[in-house]
């Protein structure tokens, strides 16, 4: 095997984003999609970070994504940064099938959902050394402190302090 300091992007990944930066030893697996919609901000993937198959990282309407060093985004995760930013710290483990949404659709009665403006309560900030269990959903405006653990299947709608263990729908 050849060891390189260069990042690796599998040829079967779909990179449709002119603002993607990759740190040394970063790894983007097959079938990952990195997509920039209208007015999308940058995507930065840190040193030795892995984004594994079938994950989607998408920015639009000013949102950006930053993932720190030595972090793992396991298969089938969705990181959707519209209106606000998403930041994931260093040495963090995101289990498969997690979803991060920094926005919501308007829900005014009598209007098509697709035509309603997006809204946001603010950025999603996930600290360092965090474990996010299988199938977790993290919504706009949430900060998860360093060292926290979020139990599988949880829906995080409010801040979680550092070193806390939170589970449930909504996570507490």
């Amino acid at each position: 095997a050849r060891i390189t300091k260069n990042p690796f992007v599998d040829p079967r990944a779909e990179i449709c984003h002119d603002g993607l930066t990759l740190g040394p030893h970063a790894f983007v697996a097959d079938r990952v999609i990195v997509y920039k919609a209208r007015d999308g901000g940058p995507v930065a993937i840190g040193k030795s970070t892995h984004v594994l198959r079938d994950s989607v990282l998408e920015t639009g309407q000013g949102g950006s994504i930053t993932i720190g060093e030595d972090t793992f985004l396991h298969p089938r995760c969705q990181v959707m940064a519209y209106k606000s930013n998403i930041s994931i710290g260093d040495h963090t483990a995101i289990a498969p099938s997690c979803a991060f949404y920094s926005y919501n659709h308007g829900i005014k009665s009598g209007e098509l959902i697709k035509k309603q403006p997006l809204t946001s309560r603010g950025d999603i900030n996930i600290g360092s050394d965090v474990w996010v269990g299988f199938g977790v959903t993290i919504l706009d405006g949430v900060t998860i402190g360093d060292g926290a653990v979020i139990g599988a299947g949880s829906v995080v709608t409010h801040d979680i302090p550092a070193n806390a263990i939170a589970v449930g729908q909504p996570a507490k």
Side-chain angles (χ1 to χ4, degrees):
R2 188 179 131 198
I3 307 232
T4 177
K5 290 185 179 183
N6 296 327
F8 177 78
V9 178
D10 189 285
R12 292 164 295 195
E14 292 186 40
I15 309 299
C16 304
H17 201 301
D18 60 2
L20 172 64
T21 59
L22 298 166
H25 304 291
F27 177 79
V28 177
D30 59 314
R31 300 188 318 258
V32 167
I33 297 172
V34 182
Y35 176 73
K36 179 180 180 180
R38 187 171 10 140
D39 300 323
V43 173
I45 298 173
K47 176 183 177 184
S48 300
T49 288
H50 291 67
V51 179
L52 301 178
R53 69 185 58 85
D54 299 318
S55 291
V56 178
L57 284 68
E58 185 173 326
T59 63
Q61 296 185 21
S64 67
I65 299 169
T66 304
I67 304 174
E69 294 184 7
D70 193 33
T71 289
F72 278 75
L73 205 70
H74 284 91
R76 296 176 310 283
C77 289
Q78 295 183 12
V79 182
M80 309 302 238
Y82 281 71
K83 302 296 273 185
S84 296
N85 305 315
I86 298 175
S87 174
I88 301 171
D90 301 331
H91 314 290
T92 290
I94 311 296
S97 300
C98 290
F100 307 142
Y101 285 87
S102 68
Y103 67 94
N104 283 294
H105 282 278
I107 55 171
K108 187 175 177 184
S109 180
E111 290 187 33
L112 294 172
I113 291 292
K114 185 174 181 170
K115 293 192 177 208
Q116 296 190 38
L118 301 179
T119 62
S120 179
R121 296 181 306 149
D123 296 345
I124 294 174
N125 293 297
I126 299 170
S128 294
D129 191 33
V130 172
W131 169 239
V132 179
F134 182 90
V136 168
T137 300
I138 299 174
L139 300 178
D140 56 319
V142 167
T143 294
I144 297 175
D146 294 344
V149 175
I150 310 300
S154 295
V155 177
V156 185
T157 60
H158 297 287
D159 292 352
I160 304 296
N163 302 308
I165 298 173
V167 297
Q169 298 178 3
K172 297 178 191 178

